[in-house]
């Protein structure tokens, strides 16, 4: 081989080695330090958990508001039932005192309802 050819080949080899070295350096340099990937994963997981906890908190707040409305409605219904039961008793008492036509006998209370009427006196 001629010396010019050897010089060209050696220059080519140096260029290839330099290019490969540059690529390896770039790839190694872009890699995250040991443990950094785990920290990034932890951050992503905690962010997602925080969003889910916030969503669950909002859902619980809505459910508590619904429960409060239901309690208020049930309290009003309880008052109405007690009022009607008292009114019916007073009406029956009035009819008996006045010796008017006797009221019809009360209808039997279904088993499903009996559990809710224990404090009304039926």
């Amino acid at each position: 081989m001629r010396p010019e050819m050897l010089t060209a080949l050696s220059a080519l080899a140096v260029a290839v080695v330099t290019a490969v070295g540059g690529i390896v350096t770039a790839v190694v340099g872009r890699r995250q330090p040991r443990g950094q990937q785990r920290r990034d994963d932890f951050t992503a997981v905690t962010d997602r958990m925080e969003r889910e906890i916030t969503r669950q908190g909002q859902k619980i707040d809505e459910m508590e508001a619904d429960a409060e409305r239901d309690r208020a409605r049930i309290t009003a219904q309880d008052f109405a039932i007690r009022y009607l039961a008292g009114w019916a008793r007073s009406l029956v008492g009035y009819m008996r005192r006045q010796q008017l036509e006797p009221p019809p006998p009360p209808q039997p209370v279904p088993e499903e309802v009996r559990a809710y009427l224990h404090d009304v006196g039926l």
Side-chain angles (χ1 to χ4, degrees):
M1 289 187 127
R2 287 192 253 153
E4 300 93 26
M5 192 171 232
L6 278 175
T7 306
L9 281 176
S10 64
L12 180 64
V14 168
V16 168
V17 168
T18 303
V20 170
I23 292 171
V24 168
T25 303
V27 169
V28 169
R30 288 188 55 163
R31 283 184 30 196
Q32 296 176 346
R34 184 172 185 82
Q36 180 65 36
Q37 185 175 1
R38 278 184 251 146
R39 282 193 292 275
D40 291 345
D41 290 345
F42 179 77
T43 303
V45 168
T46 54
D47 290 344
R48 186 171 179 194
M49 285 176 58
E50 186 175 325
R51 285 193 308 269
E52 184 64 21
I53 289 170
T54 302
R55 187 183 72 80
Q56 290 290 333
Q58 291 170 346
K59 189 174 181 180
I60 288 171
D61 291 342
E62 291 172 7
M63 292 173 75
E64 286 175 347
D66 291 344
E68 188 60 37
R69 280 193 302 272
D70 290 344
R71 270 195 289 292
R73 188 184 74 229
I74 289 170
T75 301
Q77 291 170 345
D78 179 49
F79 178 76
I81 289 171
R82 288 174 188 270
Y83 171 77
L84 289 174
W87 182 75
R89 279 194 202 107
S90 69
L91 182 60
V92 168
Y94 173 78
M95 291 174 72
R96 286 186 180 150
R97 280 192 306 272
Q98 298 298 322
Q99 296 177 346
L100 298 173
E101 181 181 324
Q107 295 180 350
V109 179
E111 287 298 321
E112 296 85 15
V113 177
R114 191 177 310 269
Y116 300 106
L117 298 179
H118 61 83
D119 57 344
V120 179
L122 296 176

